[in-house]
Amino acid sequence: MFQSMSDAVFGTSTPATTDSKEFDDAKAEEVDSDLTFDVSAEEVSLIRADIASAYPEDYTFLSNDYISSVASKPYSKDPTKRRPIEYTTSKLKDLMKWREENAVHLQEMYKLIPGETTNDSATDDVENAELATKAQALATSLNYASMYWHGLDKKGRPVLWIRTNRMPWYPDVEAQVNALILLADAGIKLMPEGITDFVVVSDSNSPPPPNPQFMMNLLSALVKGYPDRLYELISCPVGSIIQFVMKLLLPLMPSRLASKIILIGEEETKEKLSSYLLNGEDDIPTFLNGTADHDLYYPKDGAFPDKTLTFDYKGMIERLEVSIKEYKPVN
């Protein structure tokens, strides 16, 4: 029965049969401790200077708060001590290398989507036709309006919403992952001082069968490109497909990441989300039996049906900026 359900959901291969060795380093470096250590401003400056020298065009992506957060963790070889500065710098350089290969070019790719730049002939001037084609695929993935930032939690963290019922049954995996990375970067760049992580809320009741390669690429991005960025992923209300998928995926993940994935049923959804979202029950969306209508901003058929990018990407950024500017801590 397990195999028949696995085949029905994933086809003939499952994430469990996919090479998961890329997560071994992350698992080996885990420390089962919430202990943190002080990091001086001078130490943060030293780390930043080293990274800026190696990655001058992208080093500002890492805020001082994030660098300090990474540096403050216990050292895996001796959890009673803080990570050495050299170790933290090396790990952050690994992250920047991943960004160089997977993330940095996506903002330029976004600008190649017709209508998304002040130079409307930008796509026509592109020498690399493949990049222009990928820009079109990126627009298609964004246009599903299945992933977007909207609002904050009570601590001021941005909330990324995932509406799995809008996901395509046969996705362009590369384009779908590119869209997620583009969105993640946009939200992180807007984080106010003191905030280094975000919350994900996934409407997981009626998704199409998950694509195994997309799921593995998603895990890889979280582990390699966004370590310690995810505060929690709340999946609700959880249907049988997601329950089955997570039974396969959780053993592959570093335990610290796995512990941040919360699966809840329909009867718990209102209470859980009310405790998280900035305005409590008033922020629960209609698709989760609340009153906040996200479709006013992210309709299924797009906010701009006459454009290549029907998804309101710029409006999403502007609304998140306003939410962050107006945020007042909740006691």
Side-chain angles (χ1 to χ4, degrees):
M1 182 176 177
F2 178 91
Q3 186 60 47
S4 63
M5 188 171 183
S6 173
D7 291 347
V9 174
F10 291 107
T12 56
S13 67
T14 72
T17 62
T18 306
D19 185 2
S20 60
K21 290 183 180 179
E22 61 181 308
F23 304 130
D24 288 349
D25 287 346
K27 288 182 176 181
E29 292 167 2
E30 283 192 313
V31 178
D32 186 17
S33 172
D34 292 327
L35 184 67
T36 58
F37 299 86
D38 290 337
V39 182
S40 70
E42 291 76 15
E43 289 173 317
V44 171
S45 295
L46 285 173
I47 296 171
R48 175 172 289 283
D50 200 338
I51 294 172
S53 176
Y55 298 93
E57 296 182 359
D58 192 40
Y59 78 96
T60 57
F61 178 77
L62 303 181
S63 68
N64 285 346
D65 286 322
Y66 181 69
I67 292 173
S68 179
S69 174
V70 173
S72 70
K73 301 291 192 299
Y75 189 31
S76 57
K77 294 182 179 179
D78 185 354
T80 65
K81 297 180 179 180
R82 195 192 69 185
R83 289 171 170 174
I85 293 298
E86 297 77 14
Y87 176 88
T88 296
T89 303
S90 175
K91 298 311 296 181
L92 289 175
K93 282 184 175 180
D94 288 344
L95 182 161
M96 298 301 288
K97 178 65 174 176
W98 181 92
R99 288 187 51 76
E100 184 178 60
E101 296 171 352
N102 297 278
V104 175
H105 66 289
L106 293 181
Q107 191 57 235
E108 291 304 314
M109 186 185 293
Y110 162 76
K111 293 177 182 178
L112 296 178
I113 299 173
E116 298 308 307
T117 175
T118 54
N119 177 11
D120 289 334
S121 63
T123 302
D124 296 334
D125 297 335
V126 175
E127 295 181 3
N128 190 340
E130 181 182 359
L131 191 59
T133 300
K134 289 183 177 182
Q136 293 280 352
L138 176 64
T140 298
S141 290
L142 290 170
N143 287 346
Y144 292 122
S146 59
M147 304 179 289
Y148 52 80
W149 295 104
H150 192 75
L152 310 174
D153 76 353
K154 294 185 187 299
K155 298 294 185 181
R157 303 182 188 93
V159 180
L160 181 66
W161 297 86
I162 298 180
R163 301 175 68 169
T164 56
N165 65 328
R166 290 184 172 186
M167 294 279 189
W169 280 68
Y170 303 102
D172 179 332
V173 171
E174 180 181 0
Q176 199 80 351
V177 172
N178 283 345
L180 185 58
I181 293 172
L182 180 72
L183 290 170
D185 275 15
I188 288 169
K189 287 176 181 177
L190 292 176
M191 286 179 177
E193 185 176 350
I195 300 298
T196 62
D197 49 9
F198 57 83
V199 172
V200 178
V201 179
S202 175
D203 171 19
S204 306
N205 190 37
S206 302
N211 180 286
Q213 191 58 55
F214 173 74
M215 298 299 289
M216 291 302 294
N217 288 0
L218 171 61
L219 285 180
S220 179
L222 283 172
V223 170
K224 295 183 175 183
Y226 303 99
D228 297 321
R229 289 295 194 181
L230 179 66
Y231 177 73
E232 272 192 0
L233 186 156
I234 305 166
S235 182
C236 60
V238 177
S240 58
I241 290 179
I242 291 297
Q243 288 178 337
F244 175 74
V245 170
M246 296 315 299
K247 286 181 179 179
L248 295 176
L249 292 180
L250 287 173
L252 302 180
M253 302 180 195
S255 60
R256 188 169 180 83
L257 175 60
S259 69
K260 296 179 178 182
I261 297 177
I262 311 299
L263 309 180
I264 59 177
E266 186 171 2
E267 65 281 357
E268 305 167 85
T269 296
K270 178 183 284 190
E271 180 181 358
K272 182 70 172 178
L273 294 185
S274 295
S275 70
Y276 259 90
L277 301 175
L278 178 59
N279 298 305
E281 190 173 330
D282 290 343
D283 280 350
I284 299 176
T286 53
F287 56 84
L288 289 173
N289 298 318
T291 58
D293 190 358
H294 288 196
D295 290 359
L296 290 174
Y297 310 106
Y298 310 105
K300 187 175 182 179
D301 296 326
F304 306 107
D306 297 330
K307 294 177 63 178
T308 301
L309 184 62
T310 64
F311 175 73
D312 189 12
Y313 181 81
K314 293 177 181 177
M316 176 193 71
I317 299 296
E318 292 169 358
R319 285 186 287 274
L320 187 57
E321 285 179 323
V322 170
S323 295
I324 290 171
K325 184 178 181 180
E326 295 180 346
Y327 170 73
K328 292 181 174 58
V330 176
N331 296 326

